[in-house]
Amino acid sequence: MPSLLAVHAAGLERLHPDAGEPWQPSSLYLATHPHSAVRAWGWHLAPTGKTMHTVPDDRITATVDVTPWLEQKTAAVLAHRTEVARGAAPGLIAALPVPEQGRLLGTEWYIRHDPVGTAPPHTELLP
């Protein structure tokens, strides 16, 4: 996962010494979809044979209402022409009437990941 590697690398002072002081973010929010989203999106995806990779709803740690930016989000999704052309789910949904787009694209879901471990500073190797 490139984003997780970048978060870890940000705290390593020797990796990119010319980039400035190292900084270790305390959290990373990974975008995902809960199982309940599939129930809402399912009838749009069923005729296409598309599936979505989802997580149990109780794994979601943050939600964001993005309906105020729905027009920009839809435009951004449609700007990925190759994704739309290959029939990816976001492109299918972005092509729906605006009220349906709002219902299906109006919320974003995240899982909080805390990349700083709680392991002791020194770990002994096992024989």
Side-chain angles (χ1 to χ4, degrees):
M1 179 178 307
S3 56
L4 186 55
L5 293 174
V7 165
H8 284 286
L12 302 175
E13 70 273 357
R14 292 185 181 174
L15 188 59
H16 295 287
D18 297 335
E21 287 295 314
W23 177 70
Q24 186 66 66
S26 60
S27 295
L28 173 67
Y29 287 83
L30 304 170
T32 191
H33 294 94
H35 292 332
S36 61
V38 172
R39 289 188 287 276
W41 292 28
W43 67 273
H44 295 288
L45 300 176
T48 67
K50 303 289 181 192
T51 60
M52 290 187 61
H53 301 285
T54 63
V55 299
D57 287 42
D58 63 356
R59 298 268 324 268
I60 302 299
T61 56
T63 58
V64 178
D65 176 6
V66 296
T67 53
W69 304 278
L70 189 59
E71 187 176 323
Q72 293 92 331
K73 180 178 179 178
T74 303
V77 168
L78 293 174
H80 293 275
R81 296 189 201 309
T82 56
E83 293 296 300
V84 173
R86 73 177 182 88
L92 295 172
I93 293 167
L96 293 171
V98 173
E100 285 296 301
Q101 289 176 9
R103 191 170 74 80
L104 301 175
L105 296 177
T107 302
E108 294 188 4
W109 303 271
Y110 299 89
I111 297 174
R112 179 182 171 151
H113 174 75
D114 296 324
V116 178
T118 57
H122 178 75
T123 305
E124 293 193 30
L125 297 176
L126 299 175

